[in-house]
């Protein structure tokens, strides 16, 4: 007995059952008497997606039938293969439809009917099946009965994906018509008062519906014919009220959940103004909205619009009025911005835990295919009417026939789309739920894999094929827009694409290239010919063009790439780096399209592209290591000019490293990135990095200046010299465009004449400034010594004793405040530390500040606000001197340091953010105020950095040029088209900061 049972179990497992014990018990159930040992039945069950589920469904159906009907069912199952395969196939693929058959056992005859007729019903046949329904419950039951036939033909392979999706759309159309008829019967006065047309949108409109999907609709209404003679406005209002009641009731009939479940939600949110707009409009109201207010994505949605229910003539009028506007969308002024926004919505805000399981919105998902096809239709369908199909796969085939997509690419995309949609159908069919998530449990994956035909290793085979198709979609999504451009400009001998020059220019313009003619020239120069270089460029450019198009200035990115390639194209490692290291190519694209600074630096030293090969290459170097490199280079130079050229070479490379790393980490979109870094972290990193390379540059220039003055080590300088960093330099918070504020201090060597020592120190300081002022294409490093005693009127260099005497007798309040940020940065370190010891009592006065000193600081600040603001500048957006800007935050912090630094050592720091944090720790600033001031300071600093990165020259205000302003916005994290939000956010944050400053600085 045990052996026989073991044999049965083995046989069941071989046929795909996972719970052999339960399967054996069900097969022995009395309701299957007469067929329980039939090998044909077992074979048929084993051919389903889930044999256990199919067997349970069969038993439940048999139990629900009376004995005579049960006998008919079982006889038909064993004798009629088409019926057997359909019935068991449906129950093995769909637990929900199995439940329906258990509730409505008589519906199994629907499968016999379809099997006998062997037809593919259209909307009229479905309407016949729904004609007798009079109530919502009856409609839901009839809908599921019709769905049985569609699912049966699908799982048995009678229908392919396209036919299944079309039948689902036809069934939805028939259901909407039936629901509207029920609503009209319930509301006869409303039905008589208006003409209501229901326009199908989305997948229903495109004749490519899923099993479970929102059915997107738009409602359009007019007064009934007999009301058209009266007061037009009154008639419109009354008709719209009636039509709205009809529409609401129709949606409820489809969407409400009852004992029979629900059919699907009817979603009217693609209408003008979305959820905020009226549910029903007249035709003229629709047309007026689309003429004046609609965005490009709305025309993209209208590409699939078709009348599906209600007044057919009115529906046809609607489509005739709207359709021309769809094919003019690519000519709209904001088309590029809208396209870029649509492209970013391809991968939406998916929870991180689901992104890898998301079939629709995830990378390489269905939306990638649909968006690519629709965008190509919008761009090229203006002039080529053969591209206007509302069905994705039909449109893809049309694009291939027209030469807009290569035939091989179209075939690969078609296959991937069919596979992914089939996965989606099988997932939804199981529970009849709207989902696009691949199961994350073994049983669900096994059922899905078997349902797709993978029987030997269903889970492994499913994952392998799914990932392969997703990778192909991602690759082709990137390629579809750009490869034909290269074929057009490079005049390749290829029959895959026949994109004309005009079509290529149109596509470039649609993707954001402001000068498509110049872009075509660059592409031709890069991709033409038969050289190895041109061949590799043709491989790289499709992806690079997409990355450029994602930026605020695609033209600059492409031009920069051509320049770098011209400079390095014959260098073996350059193209190999970009070809073999995908992240390097993406980083280069990001850097080249970010603005002026980083590309200009790269043009001066193209070999710095090698830094983009890894994340490590973008990490700023320690300033001590930089100083050693700079000093070694100076030591090898034959003249001061050669020395400073070597120093500048190091600065150029390191400035590029810092800027490139900042850009990559700001956008956080290369394959090794974990996402954008926190803005405060980026500000601190840039400030520290630029401080390090600036201090190394000053140290190198100082060594070169000493050598120039002394003639080398043979004639030592008669004095020791130190450079003291001031302002942002001393605070280690320099930006890309910051000057280097310094003071020079010297001390004669023992036995040296003080006059000779002073003259030598002045000569060195002047030579240092001269060397750094030699004209160059690099961003200048201006040495500003105006914070020294007596300002411009005072001597450039003083001895330590002279400083001591001056500060003891003549020092002013503003000088004590300026000294809060003093730090030795170059030269003799011991002398620098002695200078700091000298000034500490001055900047951290033992008894704090007297009230008069506080009032004087406030008066100085107020005068600076009124006198130093540039004429015409906007006080609400000036990053340095404006409301809530850098000056406001820094003066507030510095006042606290002057008042409390002597008794609170934690305040003795030169950095603004460090001092802010210390003030909070010491109880001087509340946590909300700390956060507001810190955020405002970080934001203002980032604005200044962004302006320098984008324009290549310093600035304290947002650019006036639209493209530059958009680039600043992208750096600050705002998508295209949201510069208004950026400016409003800046004003809001700095307004809050100013309120804190008024309270802490002026009123405390």
């Amino acid at each position: 007995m045990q052996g026989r049972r073991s044999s049965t179990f083995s046989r069941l497992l071989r046929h795909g059952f996972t719970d052999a014990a339960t399967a054996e018990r069900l097969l022995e159930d009395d309701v299957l008497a007469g067929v329980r040992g039939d090998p044909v039945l077992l074979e048929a069950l084993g051919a389903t997606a889930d044999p256990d589920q199919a067997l349970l469904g069969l038993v439940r159906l048999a139990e629900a039938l009376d004995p005579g009907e049960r006998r008919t069912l079982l006889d038909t199952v064993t004798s009629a293969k088409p019926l057997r395969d359909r019935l068991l196939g449906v129950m093995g693929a769909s637990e929900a439809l199995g439940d329906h058959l258990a509730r409505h056992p008589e519906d199994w005859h629907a499968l016999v009917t379809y099997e006998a007729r062997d037809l593919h019903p259209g909307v009229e046949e479905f309407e016949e099946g729904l004609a007798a329904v009079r109530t919502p419950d009856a409609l839901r039951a009839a809908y599921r009965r019709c769905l049985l036939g569609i699912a049966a033909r699908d799982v048995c392979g009678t229908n392919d994906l396209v036919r299944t999706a079309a039948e689902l759309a036809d069934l939805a159309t028939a259901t909407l018509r039936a629901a509207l008829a029920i609503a009209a019967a319930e509301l006869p006065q409303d039905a008589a008062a208006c003409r209501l047309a229901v326009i199908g949108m989305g997948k229903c409109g495109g004749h490519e519906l899923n099993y479970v999907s929102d059915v997107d609709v738009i409602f359009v209404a007019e007064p009934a014919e007999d009301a058209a003679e009266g007061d037009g406005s009154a008639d419109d209002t009354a008709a719209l009220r009636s039509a709205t009641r009809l529409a609401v009731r129709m949606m409820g009939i489809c969407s409400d959940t009852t004992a029979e479940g629900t059919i699907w939600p009817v979603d009217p949110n693609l209408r003008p103004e979305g959820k905020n707009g009226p549910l029903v409009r007249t035709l003229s109201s629709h047309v007026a909205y689309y003429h004046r207010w609609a965005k490009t994505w709305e025309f993209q949605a209208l590409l699939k619009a078709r009348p599906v229910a209600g007044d057919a003539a009115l529906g046809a009028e609607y489509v005739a009025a709207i359709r021309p506007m769809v094919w003019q969308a690519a000519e709209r002024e904001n088309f590029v911005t809208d396209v870029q926004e649509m492209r970013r919505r391809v991968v939406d805000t998916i929870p991180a835990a689901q992104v890898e399981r998301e079939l629709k919105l995830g990378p390489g998902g269905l939306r990638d295919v649909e968006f690519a096809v629709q965008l190509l239709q919008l761009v090229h369908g203006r002039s080529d009417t053969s591209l206007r199909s509302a069905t994705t796969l039909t449109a893809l085939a049309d694009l291939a026939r027209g030469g807009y997509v290569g035939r091989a690419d179209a075939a690969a995309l078609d296959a991937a789309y069919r596979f992914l949609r089939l996965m989606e159908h099988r997932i939804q069919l199981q529970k009849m739920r709207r989902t696009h998530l691949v199961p994350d449990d073994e049983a669900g994956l096994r059922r899905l894999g078997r349902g797709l035909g993978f029987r030997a290793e269903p889970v492994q085979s499913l994952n392998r094929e799914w990932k392969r198709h997703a990778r192909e979609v991602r690759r082709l999504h990137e390629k579809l827009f750009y490869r034909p451009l290269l074929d057009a400009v490079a005049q390749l001998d290829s029959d895959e694409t026949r994109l004309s020059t005009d079509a290529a220019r149109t596509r470039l313009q649609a993707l954001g290239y402001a000068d498509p003619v110049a872009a075509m020239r660059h592409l031709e120069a890069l991709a033409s010919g038969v050289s190895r270089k041109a061949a590799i460029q043709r491989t790289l450019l499709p992806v690079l063009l997409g990355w450029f198009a994602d930026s605020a200035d695609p033209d600059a990115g492409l031009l920069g790439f051509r320049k770098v390639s011209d400079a390095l194209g014959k260098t073996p490692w350059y193209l190999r780096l970009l070809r073999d290291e995908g992240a390097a190519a993406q980083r280069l694209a990001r850097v080249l399209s970010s603005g002026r600074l980083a590309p200009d630096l790269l043009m001066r030293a193209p070999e710095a592209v090698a830094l983009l090969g890894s994340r490590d290459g973008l990490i700023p170097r320690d300033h001590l290591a930089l100083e050693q490199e700079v000093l070694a280079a100076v030591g090898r130079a034959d003249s001061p000019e050669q020395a400073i050229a070597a120093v500048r070479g190091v600065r150029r490379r390191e400035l590029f490293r810092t800027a490139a790393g900042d850009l990559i980490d700001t956008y956080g979109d290369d394959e090794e990135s974990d996402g954008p870094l926190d803005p405060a972290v980026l500000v601190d990193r840039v400030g520290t990095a630029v401080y390090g390379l600036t201090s190394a540059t000053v140290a190198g220039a100082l060594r070169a200046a000493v050598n120039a003055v002394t003639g080398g080590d043979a004639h030592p300088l008669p004095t020791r010299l130190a450079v003291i960093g001031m302002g942002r330099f001393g605070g280690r918070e320099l930006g890309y465009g910051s000057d280097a504020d310094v003071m020079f201090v010297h001390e004669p060597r023992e036995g040296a004449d003080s006059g000779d020592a002073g003259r030598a120190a002045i000569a060195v300081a002047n030579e240092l400034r001269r060397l750094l002022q030699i004209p160059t294409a690099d961003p200048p490093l201006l040495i500003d010594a105006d914070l020294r005693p007596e300002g411009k009127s005072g001597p450039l260099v003083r001895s330590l004793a002279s400083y001591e005497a001056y500060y003891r007798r003549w020092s002013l309040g503003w000088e004590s405040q300026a000294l809060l940020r003093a730090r030795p940065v170059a030269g003799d370190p011991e002398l620098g530390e002695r200078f700091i010891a000298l000034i500490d009592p001055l900047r951290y006065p033992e008894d704090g500040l007297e009230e008069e000193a506080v009032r004087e600081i406030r008066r100085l600040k107020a005068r600076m606000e009124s006198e130093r603001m540039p004429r015409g500048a906007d006080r609400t957006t000036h990053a340095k001197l404006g409301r809530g800007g850098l000056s406001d935050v820094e003066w507030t912090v510095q006042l606290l340091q002057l008042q409390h630094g002597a008794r609170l050592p934690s305040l003795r720091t030169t950095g603004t953010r460090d001092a802010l944090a210390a003030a909070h720790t010491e109880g001087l600033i509340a946590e909300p105020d700390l956060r507001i001031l810190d955020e405002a300071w970080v934001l203002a600093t980032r604005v200044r950095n962004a302006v320098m990165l984008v324009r290549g020259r310093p600035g304290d205000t947002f650019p006036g040029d639209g493209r530059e302003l958009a680039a600043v916005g992208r750096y600050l994290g705002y998508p295209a088209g949201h510069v208004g939000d950026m400016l409003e956010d800046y004003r809001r944050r700095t307004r809050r900061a100013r309120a804190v400053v008024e309270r802490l600085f002026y009123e405390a």
Side-chain angles (χ1 to χ4, degrees):
M1 174 68 101
Q2 184 66 32
R4 188 176 70 182
R5 188 166 193 183
S6 175
S7 174
T8 302
F9 274 30
S10 297
R11 187 158 54 99
L12 291 172
L13 292 173
R14 281 200 308 274
H15 280 89
F17 290 88
T18 58
D19 187 350
T22 300
E24 184 182 39
R25 178 175 56 78
L26 290 174
L27 286 168
E28 295 296 324
D29 195 291
D30 288 342
V31 298
L32 297 185
V35 300
R36 61 174 62 118
D38 192 326
V40 171
L41 175 62
L42 195 60
E43 191 75 26
L45 288 167
T48 66
D50 189 337
D52 301 87
Q53 182 175 285
L55 175 57
L56 178 61
L58 179 62
V59 169
R60 293 177 65 204
L61 173 59
E63 288 175 339
L65 294 169
D66 62 55
E69 186 72 6
R70 183 187 305 153
R71 182 74 271 158
T72 302
L73 167 70
L74 296 177
D75 287 346
T76 307
V77 164
T78 55
S79 62
K81 184 179 189 308
L83 182 280
R84 178 172 63 245
D85 290 345
R86 288 181 176 182
L87 177 63
L88 298 181
V90 165
M91 290 192 292
S94 178
E95 179 185 315
L97 290 179
D99 291 343
H100 173 82
L101 284 169
R103 288 196 308 272
H104 301 277
E106 69 282 357
D107 279 1
W108 77 270
H109 289 287
L111 298 175
V112 177
T113 302
Y114 283 128
E115 185 271 327
R117 292 167 67 184
D118 195 25
L119 55 78
H120 298 301
V123 65
E124 292 80 10
E125 287 82 4
F126 284 124
E127 282 191 289
E128 289 179 17
L130 303 178
V133 300
R134 295 291 184 270
T135 67
D137 266 0
L139 178 59
R140 292 180 179 90
Y143 174 83
R144 290 292 176 97
R145 185 166 55 251
C146 293
L147 203 60
L148 279 170
I150 297 175
R153 288 188 293 279
D154 178 15
V155 299
C156 292
T158 306
N159 279 355
D160 66 359
L161 169 76
V162 173
R163 184 66 237 180
T164 298
E167 287 188 8
L168 289 168
D170 285 338
L171 176 57
T173 298
T175 304
L176 289 169
R177 293 176 183 177
L180 185 57
I182 295 173
E186 293 177 357
L187 304 167
Q189 291 182 328
D190 287 324
C194 67
R195 300 165 61 203
L196 176 65
V198 184
I199 309 300
M201 304 287 285
K203 284 186 164 56
C204 179
H207 238 79
E208 52 187 7
L209 198 61
N210 295 329
Y211 276 102
V212 189
S213 175
D214 291 354
V215 172
D216 298 305
V217 299
I218 287 177
F219 296 104
V220 57
E222 296 289 344
E225 296 290 348
D226 56 2
E229 301 294 327
D231 180 354
S233 61
D235 291 338
D236 282 356
T237 302
L240 288 174
R241 289 199 190 102
S242 294
T244 299
R245 286 190 287 269
L246 274 177
V248 169
R249 182 59 188 137
M250 186 204 82
M251 291 192 297
I253 290 168
C254 296
S255 305
D256 292 346
T257 301
T258 67
E260 287 293 339
T262 186
I263 301 177
W264 19 246
V266 177
D267 187 348
N269 291 330
L270 290 178
R271 67 186 185 268
E273 300 180 82
K275 294 180 180 179
N276 298 320
L279 180 64
V280 184
R281 289 176 182 256
T282 62
L283 177 57
S284 61
S285 176
H286 277 284
V287 171
Y289 172 84
Y290 288 120
H291 269 306
R292 296 185 63 189
W293 307 113
K295 296 181 179 179
T296 302
W297 71 263
E298 294 180 273
F299 293 110
Q300 182 183 5
L302 287 167
L303 193 153
K304 294 181 177 292
R306 69 179 176 95
V308 292
D311 191 297
L314 180 57
E317 290 179 51
Y318 174 89
V319 171
I322 297 300
R323 190 55 55 87
M325 289 188 265
V326 172
W327 303 111
Q328 295 165 4
E331 300 171 3
R332 293 160 55 89
E333 183 178 350
N334 61 341
F335 180 74
V336 171
T337 300
D338 287 345
V339 163
Q340 291 171 338
E341 190 170 343
M342 285 188 290
R343 294 179 82 240
R344 280 187 292 276
R345 284 203 296 263
V346 168
V347 179
D348 218 330
T349 53
I350 311 169
Q354 297 180 0
V355 74
E356 295 300 324
R357 297 168 49 216
E358 174 61 66
L359 271 179
K360 180 179 180 181
L361 300 177
L366 294 163
R367 183 67 65 80
D368 274 357
V369 181
E370 293 159 357
F371 174 83
V373 170
Q374 289 164 22
L375 181 55
L376 290 175
Q377 286 182 279
L378 288 174
V379 171
H380 301 296
R382 293 179 297 170
S383 56
D384 190 340
T385 58
S386 70
L387 305 178
R388 298 184 177 182
S389 172
T391 306
T392 299
L393 291 179
T394 303
L396 178 59
D398 294 339
L399 287 163
R401 274 192 295 274
Y404 304 97
V405 177
R407 288 196 295 271
D409 288 346
L413 207 58
D414 181 286
Y417 188 71
R418 288 175 187 267
F419 183 85
L420 296 175
R421 281 294 303 274
L422 196 56
M423 281 184 69
E424 181 184 45
H425 278 190
R426 294 292 184 268
I427 292 167
Q428 293 182 345
L429 193 56
Q430 168 63 6
K431 297 283 189 181
M432 292 304 294
R433 291 177 183 166
R434 182 177 181 268
T435 180
H436 311 286
L437 290 178
V438 177
D440 57 357
D441 62 292
E442 185 74 14
L445 289 170
R446 184 175 184 275
R447 182 189 306 113
L448 179 57
R450 286 177 58 87
L452 293 171
F454 304 121
R455 299 298 164 83
E457 295 181 324
V459 176
Q460 297 90 326
S461 299
L462 167 68
N463 284 327
R464 183 172 57 250
E465 285 300 292
W466 169 32
K467 297 305 181 185
R468 180 177 70 83
H469 283 297
R471 284 194 302 271
E472 189 72 352
V473 168
R474 292 190 73 180
R475 181 184 71 83
L476 292 172
H477 178 73
E478 294 168 344
K479 178 182 177 183
L480 271 178
F481 302 105
Y482 306 111
R483 176 67 197 198
L485 296 171
L486 303 187
D487 291 347
V489 301
Q491 301 175 351
L492 302 179
D493 184 16
S494 169
D495 63 351
E496 286 220 340
T497 55
R498 299 186 302 278
L499 198 63
S500 69
T501 300
D502 287 343
R505 289 173 181 167
T506 299
R507 188 177 296 188
L508 281 166
Q509 190 169 20
L511 292 165
Y513 289 83
D515 189 350
V517 175
M520 292 282 284
R521 286 199 304 271
H522 300 325
L523 291 176
E524 186 173 5
L526 289 163
S528 294
V530 295
S531 67
R532 178 177 174 275
K533 171 186 173 183
I536 296 177
Q537 296 281 29
R538 289 193 292 270
T539 301
L540 292 169
L541 276 166
V543 180
L544 287 168
L545 283 168
W547 287 329
F548 294 147
D550 273 334
S551 72
D553 196 348
D555 301 78
L558 181 55
L559 173 61
F561 182 67
R562 179 181 176 184
K563 289 180 176 179
V564 174
S565 295
D566 287 346
L568 294 176
K570 295 182 180 179
T571 307
W573 59 265
Y574 166 64
L575 290 175
R576 186 168 62 245
L577 171 73
L578 299 185
R579 181 194 63 196
D580 298 340
E581 301 290 339
Q586 186 172 6
R587 291 172 193 143
L588 178 61
R590 173 62 67 198
V591 166
L592 291 175
S593 56
S594 64
R596 292 285 303 275
L597 179 64
D600 286 352
L601 291 166
L602 188 58
M603 294 307 119
R604 293 273 293 156
E607 65 279 359
V609 167
L611 298 176
L612 302 174
S614 70
R615 302 289 295 186
D616 291 344
L618 299 175
I619 297 174
R621 295 179 62 200
D622 177 75
H623 80 277
L624 294 178
L626 284 177
E627 185 172 319
Q628 291 176 359
E629 180 184 0
V630 164
L631 294 178
V634 170
R636 293 190 298 269
D638 294 330
S639 68
E641 288 73 21
Q642 289 181 2
I644 205 63
V647 170
R648 281 176 166 160
V650 174
R651 178 172 182 262
R652 182 189 312 124
R653 182 197 67 210
E654 294 307 314
L655 199 56
F656 173 77
R657 188 198 305 272
T658 301
D662 183 19
L663 290 165
I664 301 305
D665 285 331
T666 292
Y667 293 102
D669 55 3
D670 77 292
E671 63 187 32
E672 297 178 26
S673 170
D674 294 326
L677 289 185
D678 179 81
V681 173
L682 289 167
V683 163
D684 288 345
R685 179 186 293 180
V686 170
T688 301
V690 179
Y691 162 79
L693 66 93
T694 302
S695 62
T697 300
V698 171
L702 179 62
R703 177 68 59 84
V706 170
N707 290 343
V709 170
T710 64
D713 294 337
H715 304 283
L717 202 67
T719 190
R720 296 190 297 165
L721 187 65
V723 182
I724 308 299
M726 303 289 287
R728 295 188 178 283
F729 192 9
R732 296 170 62 99
E733 50 196 28
L734 287 168
Y736 296 111
S738 298
D739 296 345
D741 291 309
V742 301
M743 291 198 302
F744 297 98
V745 57
H746 81 100
E747 185 175 61
R749 296 187 183 277
E750 187 175 353
D753 179 78
S754 60
D756 291 343
R759 285 188 290 274
I762 291 174
V764 169
N766 282 325
E767 177 66 4
L768 181 149
R769 297 210 297 179
R770 183 192 74 82
L771 290 172
L772 288 174
Q773 289 172 358
I774 294 175
T776 176
D778 294 329
L781 176 59
L782 300 179
I783 298 297
D784 187 341
D786 291 350
L787 292 176
R788 66 187 185 267
E790 301 178 83
K792 293 180 181 179
S793 302
L796 180 61
V797 185
R798 287 178 181 262
S799 68
L800 184 64
S802 175
Y803 275 110
E804 190 277 332
Y806 174 85
Y807 288 137
R808 177 165 37 83
R809 299 180 61 188
W810 308 110
S811 177
L812 300 175
W814 71 264
E815 292 177 302
S816 295
Q817 185 178 350
L819 289 170
L820 285 168
R821 310 184 83 179
R823 171 199 299 270
V825 295
D828 190 292
E830 192 270 339
L831 177 60
E833 291 303 323
R834 288 169 60 205
F835 178 85
I836 295 301
L838 168 68
I839 65 170
D840 272 350
L842 199 66
R843 57 183 181 172
Y844 308 125
E846 184 175 353
D847 297 323
L849 291 181
E850 296 180 356
E851 187 58 35
E852 178 56 33
V854 173
R855 285 196 294 269
E856 177 61 22
I857 289 174
R858 290 171 177 164
R859 281 195 295 268
L860 275 173
K861 176 72 166 66
R863 194 174 75 189
M864 183 184 72
E865 290 179 11
S866 64
E867 296 178 359
R868 294 183 58 189
M869 179 72 69
R871 180 176 297 179
D874 185 347
R875 291 181 179 274
T876 67
T877 57
H878 196 280
K880 182 178 180 180
L881 301 175
R883 180 191 68 189
L886 297 172
S887 175
D888 269 0
V889 178
E890 290 164 0
W891 280 61
T892 301
V893 171
Q894 290 161 16
L895 179 60
L896 293 174
Q897 288 179 291
L898 288 166
Q899 289 174 316
H900 306 286
R903 67 181 183 87
L904 300 175
S906 63
L907 290 176
R908 300 173 197 171
T909 175
T910 62
T912 301
R913 297 191 68 227
D914 291 341
L916 262 176
H920 168 60
T921 300
E922 299 292 354
L924 302 176
I925 296 180
E927 195 278 333
D929 291 344
L930 165 72
R931 187 173 62 254
I932 289 170
L933 293 179
D934 187 66
E935 287 181 357
W937 189 90
V938 168
L939 178 58
T941 301
R942 295 199 79 216
V943 168
R944 297 180 94 202
N945 282 343
V947 170
M948 184 65 184
L949 284 167
V950 169
R951 304 180 69 191
R953 59 183 186 275
D956 293 316
T957 61
F958 289 92
D961 177 80
R963 285 225 164 198
E964 291 179 346
L965 186 62
V968 168
R970 294 295 293 275
Y971 177 83
L972 295 179
Y974 292 86
H978 288 264
V979 294
D981 295 338
M982 171 184 67
L983 295 172
E984 181 55 36
D985 286 349
Y986 183 87
R987 291 188 175 103
R988 176 176 53 82
R989 290 190 188 184
T990 54
R991 182 171 61 246
R992 293 170 63 196
R994 178 65 182 195
V996 175
V997 170
E998 293 279 1
R999 182 160 34 84
L1000 296 183
F1001 182 82
Y1002 285 108
E1003 298 175 7

